[in-house]
Amino acid sequence: MRTTTYLLAATQSLAVCAVLVGAVAERASAAQARPGATPDRYDVVVVGAGTGGVAAAMQAARLGASVLLLEATDWIGGQMSAAGVTSMDEGYPPRDHLRERGVYGEFWRRTSAFYKAIGKSNDTCAVSEDHFAVEPNVAQRILYQMIADTRLTPLAGGSHATLDVLLRADVTGLVRDGHTVTGVEFELHAKGETTRRTVSSQVVIDATEYGDLIPMAGAAYRVGTLLSTRDALDELADHPVQPITWTAVIKQYPGGVPTDLQVNTPPPGYDPAPISPIVSLEGDGSSRHPWNWERMLKYRGMPDSTSPFSAHNGSGRSLTRTHVNLACNDQPFQVGDIEDPQSRAGAEARALQRTLAVLYYARHVMGVIDWSVANDVGYDSPYNRERVDALVKRRPDLAPYREVLRHFPVMPYVRESRRIVGADTLTATQLRRKKPFAPVHFPTAVAIGDYPVDVHGEGRDRGRQVELDLDEQIDLPERWIQWGYGPFQAPFEAFIPERVDGFMPAEKNLSQSRLASGATRLQPVTMLTGQAAGAIAAIAVQRGVQPRDVPPIVVQNELLNAGSTLSLRRHEDVPHGVELWKAIQLASLYEVYEVEDDRFRETAKVSEEAARIAFGRLEEAGLAASPEGAHNDVLRARTRGALVRAVARAITTSSSNGRSAAQAVQTSDAKAATHPTRLTQ
């Protein structure tokens, strides 16, 4: 009966799919700037249109910077779409507070509205309860919508935001003046021709998946546990980094899998041994391995815009689409695979083989003959066709799988990249969230994440997994969520290279230990850190200074205006985004005034002494340069709401004197021994 229903609806479903793929292609064409029409100078150039890059570009443009976004492939969205990692790794329930935040909250709201409008649930991934997933083409479509809407942002003088996108743009070098990056050199591939371009800028943001611009910038960086200025990277190329995965979006074909999408011969290197402990005929539907096929589908299940059915978390056989992202198709990766292009290409090819092996195993061992790689996502793009053809030319043994590979994602899922050495380095030790530990409080926080420290491949070569100058050996997890999960902060200083100017990181390329990057590498966090990078860059342009000279308070003010949560303090009676919420965020960030209760109780009385203490903390933190009236408001306040608003006004107006918040924090820290850090009422 179900098959009959499905077939009756097939024509309508395919029509929906055609409209969706066509809409994505139309938006991509509209969003991409005409190569000859783009100027030779932008305020900000963002390289890499992944989760972090798109967010950085939009935030910078919304703040008035002219922005050029360059992407080497012909897909945007990075890991969430171009790499096919379709379930958003947000942390664990409850997730409402995370889905409020900044540009990620905007993406979540738009995606949820899309699926609601077509009668689908987007809670389809059974990794945990209420686990949000999205089809790659839908994610890309929504990102293009957000870019288009960003261009409508009104600016002073009656103009609108500038955000140009160039796809298939390979950056070949950076223009430098001493230790300052002043532009990018790239090759643009369009209509069978290659054009070489140089574009100058005030800030370049590296949002590439591997951090490929960092060496070009001459910046010191970490890769694996190695340090570029200390270690001979070519001699230590076998040091481990997290494995990559070349996922596959697969779907059910009720009428049979098309012949050219059937994997009927074992791919090179095929070995069922790594697969059978994960999924097998002996498996069941429990959470323990091995799984049966239905449980495998649930693991990374996603909505299906083409299906007449609406799957929901744990619905199993109602799922008609999922993606293959399992331990058995993780491809081991090493420092040399990041550093050496040839070595990287070889490892990426082996990652493709591992996923082909899973598809062969499913059909010929599991007997699953109605599932294969999805042919309606839009991955069969000009870029991907050329990539696969070039691969087959190098590897003729992969020729029988050409059509299948053309429908694989356009890039691998990259878990670990190069990481700049910055003004400060975020560490896993600072992110411990399991009692009795708590995450370190950063007054200069510019983003928040929630994900646990998740390091794939941590069981192998444990002696070379930890940077002992940054973390402790015990920070390397021996079991899932060993050190807890929940909110943690990313500080401004992690975005500032130690010595290089005109250059910033986004995506996974921040100044952080490799274990800390296990918590910051997923889609929600990379969107929010990308948004922070874009804000820093735009404000640097506005002020005519380098990013390192931007007062973090100014950045925080703009990010709070954009709805990006920065403080770990949350009150259930204060809605996200309202004026009181912003005031509480600022006051608690700088530990001037905080209420530790779950409820803030805006009208609760405060004493004259409490107001004086708050005033004193403003002075100690170097935030006392605001007009006298603002300070008087702090001293006169007699309710929590009035006090926190007065404190926030004093903090924001003090930023006009250009004093950096880093200096303010140093002043505050020096006096911390004589005053408590929190005021509880």
Side-chain angles (χ1 to χ4, degrees):
M1 184 67 175
R2 177 172 180 257
T3 302
T4 303
T5 304
Y6 196 113
L7 292 174
L8 287 172
T11 302
Q12 180 181 359
S13 299
L14 289 172
V16 170
C17 174
V19 169
L20 179 58
V21 173
V24 171
E26 183 179 343
R27 287 191 177 276
S29 178
Q32 184 173 197
R34 288 180 291 112
T38 56
D40 293 327
R41 178 170 181 81
Y42 288 82
D43 295 328
V44 178
V45 176
V46 181
V47 181
T51 49
V54 170
M58 290 192 298
Q59 183 63 34
R62 290 171 181 179
L63 291 179
S66 60
V67 180
L68 176 63
L69 176 60
L70 300 176
E71 168 55 39
T73 74
D74 52 8
W75 267 68
I76 69 169
Q79 56 179 304
M80 72 162 58
S81 55
V85 185
T86 62
S87 51
M88 302 300 106
D89 289 301
E90 299 171 318
Y92 281 81
R95 296 188 172 99
D96 292 349
H97 61 285
L98 187 152
R99 294 169 179 172
E100 297 170 338
R101 298 179 195 151
V103 70
Y104 179 73
E106 182 181 344
F107 175 78
W108 181 83
R109 289 188 294 273
R110 287 176 181 244
T111 305
S112 297
F114 170 84
Y115 283 114
K116 184 177 181 180
I118 61 172
K120 306 285 185 182
S121 169
N122 61 1
D123 173 17
T124 53
C125 174
V127 170
S128 62
E129 293 297 322
D130 187 24
H131 203 121
F132 164 41
V134 56
E135 296 159 279
N137 42 345
V138 172
Q140 182 176 226
R141 175 188 182 183
I142 288 169
L143 291 175
Y144 274 129
Q145 288 174 342
M146 293 168 69
I147 288 172
D149 290 347
T150 293
R151 291 174 176 152
L152 300 177
T153 304
L155 304 177
S159 62
H160 291 85
T162 297
L163 172 47
D164 293 334
V165 181
L166 290 179
L167 304 178
R168 303 202 64 182
D170 288 317
V171 172
T172 56
L174 296 179
V175 182
R176 293 162 54 186
D177 181 4
H179 292 294
T180 302
V181 174
T182 61
V184 297
E185 298 170 338
F186 61 94
E187 293 180 346
L188 189 65
H189 308 283
K191 298 181 179 178
E193 297 182 355
T194 297
T195 306
R196 290 177 173 82
R197 293 280 307 275
T198 299
V199 170
S200 59
S201 62
Q202 185 168 330
V203 181
V204 173
I205 296 176
D206 183 355
T208 61
E209 296 298 320
Y210 290 108
D212 284 333
L213 270 59
I214 298 176
M216 296 182 190
Y221 63 92
R222 295 181 173 89
V223 55
T225 60
L226 306 181
L227 180 62
S228 66
T229 55
R230 180 192 65 202
D231 301 310
L233 302 185
D234 56 341
E235 297 176 10
L236 300 169
D238 65 341
H239 273 238
V241 297
Q242 290 199 61
I244 63 169
T245 303
W246 210 300
T247 73
V249 175
I250 62 173
K251 73 169 188 176
Q252 187 177 33
Y253 290 87
V257 175
T259 302
D260 60 351
L261 299 183
Q262 297 176 13
V263 182
N264 285 321
T265 57
Y270 173 73
D271 180 4
I275 307 173
S276 58
I278 306 298
V279 57
S280 78
L281 291 171
E282 288 72 41
D284 58 29
S286 71
S287 59
R288 292 190 175 187
H289 291 122
W291 293 335
N292 60 19
W293 181 253
E294 180 179 347
R295 180 63 182 84
M296 197 285 292
L297 295 180
K298 293 179 182 181
Y299 176 58
R300 294 292 180 182
M302 72 179 80
D304 187 348
S305 299
T306 73
S307 170
F309 305 104
S310 178
H312 190 264
N313 189 296
S315 56
R317 292 196 179 276
S318 295
L319 283 166
T320 53
R321 194 177 296 261
T322 191
H323 82 258
V324 181
N325 180 12
L326 305 165
C328 54
N329 65 324
D330 278 1
Q331 169 60 38
F333 220 58
Q334 300 175 338
V335 165
D337 298 327
I338 291 180
E339 292 293 300
D340 179 65
Q342 274 193 313
S343 182
R344 184 188 299 181
E348 289 180 348
R350 292 191 293 276
L352 290 168
Q353 292 171 211
R354 285 177 177 268
T355 303
L356 286 171
V358 174
L359 298 183
Y360 176 83
Y361 179 93
R363 185 172 184 86
H364 295 280
V365 177
M366 297 292 293
V368 179
I369 61 172
D370 57 346
W371 282 78
S372 188
V373 62
N375 61 1
D376 54 3
V377 176
Y379 286 145
D380 188 22
S381 66
Y383 168 85
N384 219 15
R385 282 178 166 266
E386 290 180 24
R387 181 190 64 78
V388 171
D389 289 346
L391 172 65
V392 169
K393 188 174 181 179
R394 296 195 312 270
R395 292 282 309 276
D397 55 339
L398 292 175
Y401 313 97
R402 185 192 304 261
E403 287 304 314
V404 175
L405 292 173
R406 284 176 169 175
H407 293 287
F408 273 29
V410 303
M411 65 170 62
Y413 170 26
V414 178
R415 294 181 175 87
E416 187 173 341
S417 65
R418 299 180 181 95
R419 309 174 313 278
I420 67 160
V421 175
D424 197 5
T425 301
L426 184 67
T427 69
T429 302
Q430 295 169 329
L431 303 185
R432 294 176 185 169
R433 285 156 282 169
K434 189 170 185 178
K435 293 180 179 179
F437 299 101
V440 169
H441 171 79
F442 292 104
T444 58
V446 290
I448 281 187
D450 290 81
Y451 204 65
V453 172
D454 180 15
V455 180
H456 282 227
E458 77 281 5
R460 296 188 297 269
D461 204 359
R462 290 183 67 87
R464 298 195 295 176
Q465 295 266 4
V466 181
E467 297 154 295
L468 294 176
D469 57 331
L470 298 175
D471 289 318
E472 299 179 32
Q473 189 65 39
I474 60 171
D475 288 308
L476 179 63
E478 294 183 349
R479 59 185 182 278
W480 179 234
I481 320 183
Q482 179 174 341
W483 291 109
Y485 62 91
F488 65 86
Q489 297 166 305
F492 172 92
E493 293 78 11
F495 295 78
I496 306 300
E498 187 178 40
R499 292 187 175 88
V500 175
D501 285 321
F503 183 76
M504 291 181 60
E507 194 60 28
K508 299 172 286 289
N509 310 328
L510 313 184
S511 180
Q512 56 186 337
S513 71
R514 73 175 299 262
L515 298 188
S517 75
T520 66
R521 64 183 176 81
L522 279 309
Q523 313 95 324
V525 192
T526 51
M527 289 193 83
L528 293 169
T529 55
Q531 184 173 19
I536 297 168
I539 294 167
V541 170
Q542 291 171 4
R543 294 187 165 220
V545 300
Q546 291 297 334
R548 73 178 68 253
D549 297 319
V550 171
I553 298 173
V554 181
V555 178
Q556 292 169 325
N557 195 46
E558 292 294 352
L559 289 171
L560 290 171
N561 288 340
S564 187
T565 305
L566 304 179
S567 170
L568 301 180
R569 182 66 59 200
R570 191 168 188 268
H571 300 289
E572 60 187 32
D573 59 339
V574 180
H576 174 272
V578 301
E579 175 257 350
L580 179 61
W581 169 83
K582 179 180 175 182
I584 293 170
Q585 289 276 307
L586 285 170
S588 60
L589 272 171
Y590 289 94
E591 299 183 303
V592 175
Y593 179 77
E594 290 190 83
V595 173
E596 295 187 348
D597 299 338
D598 289 339
R599 298 181 65 81
F600 182 74
R601 297 182 176 86
E602 179 181 0
T603 60
K605 300 297 183 182
V606 295
S607 66
E608 184 177 341
E609 180 185 4
R612 280 200 305 269
I613 291 173
F615 181 82
R617 290 181 184 168
L618 282 171
E619 291 186 314
E620 291 173 4
L623 301 172
S626 55
E628 185 177 341
H631 287 157
N632 289 338
D633 288 344
V634 173
L635 292 170
R636 287 194 297 260
R638 291 297 176 266
T639 66
R640 287 178 176 176
L643 180 56
V644 79
R645 288 183 175 95
V647 166
R649 282 196 299 273
I651 291 172
T652 54
T653 54
S654 73
S655 66
S656 63
N657 71 355
R659 178 178 173 83
S660 78
Q663 292 172 306
V665 171
Q666 290 169 3
T667 303
S668 180
D669 286 348
K671 299 183 179 181
T674 57
H675 292 279
T677 58
R678 283 180 170 78
L679 178 65
T680 306
Q681 289 197 338

